[in-house]
DNA sequence: GATGAATGAGTCTTCATTCAT
DNA sequence: CATGAATGAAGACTCATTCAT
């Protein structure tokens, strides 16, 4: 870094070593991700992660202080992806048009969509929520951000809204959509996602707007 | 229970033993409940359960095949209690009156209320949902029953409803109320429960009924 | 204890179980003692202790919270034995006679003698002195007691003593005899113990008494 | 050192490399010394030594076959320093005068003084005495030398001495002073060093000389 | 000379479960 | 019915040492 970034082919010297190291690290993260996803967090041993990454336990502990640390890393990456996907539907472009239902549809679709991102990891986040403060904190932050985004949206639509207590409303909406999405992902819903989406759209649009 | 209570003086000799046995079993269940609630499932050892029940591990395994079994038992009892409380608000008496908001209020209150029942156990149900099929099955059944109850209610209110796809609607309502209740219990909601309840009532009544 | 001690043959009921347990515990302590003595503390693993005691690691941890705990126990037993032996020479009976050299001889002999008690353990005490606070504390206490004993003796001999600062003198004497004894035990002394004893006796008697 | 210092301008080209190499080696030794002193031998890892020396583990093993080797080197340096300091008090200049107590005072002061040199290292020597033969050998040699020095001194003072078995006496004196010094360093002595020194001087002078 | 990534045998420790009494 | 001592497989983590670059 101190030497600045020279023209492309100039500094291959040290790179290989660092590149190898980065690769190893990535192999470990990937292995952990696979195993956490398939066997769950607790059932995955550090030894098995190393083995799957074709490395040794020692190498694992070279890159991570302990098992939790890999999970935290994986989950940070995942949260960004998941949240990015979920926020997709809140982009103003969906809301500038006249059709409000379309906006709500996009909101719901986005959240539902985000549930397809690393479902195994989401499952683990779910079960470790109370046990791992780092996870709780980050998931709570996600909730906060989601609520803020909805509040922002409400400002845009201000004159058409019928709700008074917007803060509570935003929270209720986020929680509702999120919960339904969770049910769908978990596939515990015996009802077709499309029907659910329709009803959810009705639920929210009737709540927010005069018919 | 199935054998009925024999007339007072009939078989007094055998009774004590069975009674004592039942008592031991109950002490164990109680001890497990306390410990699961305070320390979580995995952090509770069979030895500690036995110790707290003032029994020996051997006795524990006399009544239960393994650790999971106590949890299953506890959770069956808990589900009944929790569910009973939640269903309270669906009793027809709240719905026969003219004021529909009152009924919805009762529904929400019931579910919220049910979250106060053995919160530690509910937390465990939450985290073991994917790991313990017995738990998944029973919680899913609870969902089903809830949905059915709401559907039944809808039949009663048939003419006043504006929703078409009642099955999906019932599911959406149950999931929504349940999710909000969960957020409240977990105390992860930065917003006052009362405000949430108000909004939730609005949400659902606008969804179900014409203004 | 509460029930008092009944006539010999009365309470054999529970005894067997407890006796077995005590035996196991003793086997473990003995095994640990042997291994610590032959291989040193750090080189001895909990597994090897269990194996030598013909028990399992689990059993080891049934009786001791960790490795240090066995060492502490062993060393408490040892300290009593060692110290008892060392204090032997301070008994008044050796000092009531006219010959003061005889008393000093007994003092030295006692300490030297005490070095034959569990030399391997003493070696460990020596090397763990700084690392294990429990050991430091107890050894320091031993020193204190030794010094006190010598001070007591000085009171007895009060009129014949030439030293003024008795407290410091007692400390110096204890430390000196102890150090010499250590050198002899460690067998690092190229000089015959008897010659050392003679010189040590001279050293101390000239220090304490007029010729 | 063996090759001598070449005349200034002779081989300046090669010198830097060797000088750098020597520097690296020294940095490693210094780092090890610091860490051993502050954390103890076992708690210091080869990696941490390298890190502190701003070198890599590989470099460490370039200069030393294993961890023990650095300790041996450090301790050789230390022994020279410590011993040099301790022997200070045996210089004839202190003994040529008439006042014998002054000589003995110097002897004691020297040894006490030497305990201030690298106390952390001395502590390690203490605990590794039995584990590391190299250490045992060298410390025993130190003892031998000390005893020899005292014997030499005795020859000088021959006519004033009252002791017969000089060899044993020298050993006893060395061990005594050394032990007291150790007690003082370890700060386990509840008594003021000055008082101890006075008594120690009395002890030895009464032993060696007629009053 | 120097690097530092990689290794893996070896430690301590836990806990559900069994079984002789 | 009840006991509780005993088990041992399994898991997280460490660190001296090697070796390809």
């Amino acid at each position: 870094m101190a030497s600045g970034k020279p023209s492309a082919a100039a500094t291959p010297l040290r790179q290989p070593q660092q590149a190898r190291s980065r690769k190893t690290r990535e192999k470990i993260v990937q292995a952990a991700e696979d195993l956490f996803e398939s066997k769950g967090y607790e059932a995955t041993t550090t030894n098995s992660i190393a083995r799957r990454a074709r490395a040794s336990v020692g190498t694992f502990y070279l890159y991570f202080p302990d098992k939790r640390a890999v999970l935290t890393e994986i989950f940070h990456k995942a949260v960004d992806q998941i949240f990015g996907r979920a926020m997709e539907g809140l982009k103003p472009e969906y809301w500038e048009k006249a059709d409000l239902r379309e906006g709500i549809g996009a909101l719901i679709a986005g959240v539902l969509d985000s549930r397809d991102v690393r479902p195994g990891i989401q499952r683990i986040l779910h079960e470790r929520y109370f046990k791992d403060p780092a996870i709780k904190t980050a998931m709570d932050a996600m909730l906060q951000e989601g609520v803020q985004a909805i509040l922002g949206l409400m400002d845009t639509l201000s004159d058409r809204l019928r709700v008074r207590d917007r803060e509570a409303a935003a929270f209720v909406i986020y929680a509702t959509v999120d919960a339904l999405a969770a049910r769908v992902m978990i596939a515990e819903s015996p009802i077709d996602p499309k029907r659910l989406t329709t009803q959810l759209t009705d639920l929210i649009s009737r709540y927010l707007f005069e018919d």
Side-chain angles (χ1 to χ4, degrees), chain A:
Chain A
M1 260 191 162
S3 62
K5 287 191 179 175
S7 53
T11 47
L13 271 82
R14 240 9 177 311
Q15 214 55 13
Q17 286 200 19
Q18 294 190 12
R20 164 120 82 117
S21 171
R22 195 164 32 228
K23 231 174 203 164
T24 304
R25 199 194 149 92
E26 265 156 31
K27 277 195 309 182
I28 289 170
V29 172
Q30 188 57 51
E33 219 167 310
D34 296 349
L35 290 170
F36 286 163
E37 192 128 13
S38 60
K39 315 204 155 194
Y41 176 74
E42 319 232 17
T44 300
T45 72
T46 50
N47 269 288
S48 71
I49 294 173
R51 203 179 317 122
R52 185 174 234 270
R54 295 180 176 280
S56 69
V57 225
T59 302
F60 176 93
Y61 284 95
L62 206 58
Y63 292 104
F64 300 94
D66 54 32
K67 209 171 116 183
R68 259 188 71 247
V70 221
L71 180 60
T72 305
E73 171 142 340
I74 287 170
F75 120 93
H76 272 308
K77 277 174 36 188
V79 160
D80 287 348
Q81 290 178 35
I82 296 166
F83 198 65
R85 196 76 79 86
M87 287 301 100
E88 175 73 17
L90 293 181
K91 284 184 182 165
E93 54 200 75
Y94 295 109
W95 296 89
E96 285 158 354
K97 306 173 189 174
D99 189 355
L100 293 166
R101 278 189 69 96
E102 191 181 318
I104 291 170
L107 161 66
I108 294 166
V111 175
L112 272 179
D113 213 38
S114 74
R115 290 293 177 170
D116 283 340
V117 184
R118 302 173 179 279
I121 299 301
Q122 292 197 43
R123 191 166 296 196
I124 289 173
L125 298 186
H126 185 255
E127 81 193 28
R128 295 208 53 84
Y129 181 83
F130 292 118
K131 291 191 172 166
D132 194 326
I135 289 182
K136 178 159 171 37
T137 305
M139 288 190 77
D140 289 352
M142 220 161 113
L143 168 73
Q144 275 310 316
E145 272 196 74
V147 170
Q148 286 310 316
I150 293 176
L151 274 174
L153 216 58
M154 285 178 164
D155 279 345
T156 311
L157 309 170
S158 211
D159 48 348
R160 286 187 273 184
L161 289 182
R162 64 192 298 200
V163 292
R164 299 265 169 271
D165 187 349
R166 288 190 188 168
E167 215 186 355
F171 187 87
V172 164
I173 290 171
Y174 185 92
T176 300
V177 175
D178 191 53
L180 264 294
R183 300 274 187 193
V184 168
M185 168 190 75
I186 290 172
E188 156 194 11
S189 146
I191 296 163
D192 180 58
K194 280 181 194 164
R195 284 166 64 197
L196 288 183
T197 307
T198 306
Q199 294 309 311
L200 197 48
T201 310
D202 282 353
L203 177 73
I204 293 171
S205 43
R206 287 175 195 169
Y207 174 49
L208 291 177
F209 314 112
E210 303 285 353
D211 292 299

